[in-house]
Amino acid sequence: FSVVMSELGYLSLDPSNPIAPATKGSGFSEIKLGGKYTFYRDVNTGTVAAGGVNFELPVGSANNFQNTGTMSIDPYLSFGQTFGRLPGGFGSLNFLSTTGFSLSVDNTRSDFFYSNWHLDYNVANANKFFPFIELNWLRYTSSGTNTSVGTEGADLINFGSATRKGKNYVSTATGLRYRFTEHIQAGAGIEVPVSSERGLNEYRLTFDMIFRY
């Protein structure tokens, strides 16, 4: 069992062509936290599966739409599998996927289904270099009532837009992760929308570092 906090930070919006004055501003973000339980793990087959629930708490700043509505509840399932071990020690492939649904407890926030797929290559099975590709899909199943701006913020901002029901946001990503030691690893990636629904993104750069103990 794990306690997960997937979002806690500071967010600044400064678009070159703001839809409205309210779409420019800075402040603290929503808090997203919850619990996750790994119900299946087999080191022999390289299989893992987990389920969890996140609570999206809009306790951030009104300057950047981080206070929309009351709360969303986000149940999800995750699955991982190592497969495709290449001959001659050239490495193996790892697949990861998370699928869930963000459901508002009121009608202010937008509801959406999402599914993310990740495939990485463990170069020479050295557990050092992991180039990866990803595909992300988000579908808005219900519109919010907070605003009528003609966009939504995908996983970053829930505007509660009344115009997005039935829209699909799809993006691809590629990058590289490097494992320095058993306790430290870092990664970088670039994500680009490929659907007509682009949300706030022309592209997104992500850098991260994990400390494990």
Side-chain angles (χ1 to χ4, degrees), residues 1-195:
F1 179 79
S2 303
V3 176
V4 179
M5 180 175 288
S6 56
E7 184 172 322
L8 173 66
Y10 192 83
L11 179 67
S12 180
L13 292 178
D14 188 18
S16 56
N17 294 296
I19 300 169
T23 56
K24 294 186 71 170
S26 301
F28 287 100
S29 71
E30 292 187 345
I31 295 176
K32 298 179 182 179
L33 58 84
K36 180 177 69 174
Y37 180 68
T38 302
F39 57 85
Y40 186 81
R41 182 173 182 266
D42 190 328
V43 295
N44 296 315
T45 62
T47 307
V48 65
V53 178
N54 278 335
F55 299 93
E56 301 173 3
L57 307 175
V59 296
S61 173
N63 293 334
N64 47 26
F65 289 91
Q66 296 297 288
N67 68 335
T68 303
T70 303
M71 180 178 68
S72 290
I73 300 174
D74 173 16
Y76 63 90
L77 289 173
S78 295
F79 173 78
Q81 178 66 56
T82 296
F83 69 98
R85 294 186 179 276
L86 305 179
F90 283 102
S92 58
L93 300 174
N94 300 299
F95 171 78
L96 295 167
S97 177
T98 297
T99 299
F101 188 79
S102 177
L103 177 66
S104 176
V105 301
D106 54 28
N107 63 355
T108 307
R109 297 166 66 86
S110 298
D111 298 339
F112 56 88
F113 167 87
Y114 65 92
S115 192
N116 309 310
W117 298 283
H118 165 104
L119 184 67
D120 67 61
Y121 172 47
N122 184 356
V123 178
N125 282 329
N127 296 324
K128 285 290 186 182
F129 290 97
F130 298 87
F132 65 82
I133 57 173
E134 294 180 340
L135 179 67
N136 308 292
W137 172 40
L138 186 153
R139 180 174 177 82
Y140 294 102
T141 58
S142 297
S143 298
T145 60
N146 185 58
T147 181
S148 60
V149 296
T151 190
E152 261 295 353
D155 59 337
L156 184 62
I157 297 175
N158 195 317
F159 287 113
S161 174
T163 66
R164 296 297 91 191
K165 182 178 179 179
K167 300 294 184 179
N168 294 286
Y169 173 82
V170 181
S171 68
T172 60
T174 187
L176 175 70
R177 176 164 295 281
Y178 180 74
R179 179 175 173 270
F180 293 94
T181 69
E182 179 67 24
H183 305 288
I184 302 174
Q185 57 179 280
I190 181 170
E191 178 186 353
V192 179
V194 294
S195 57

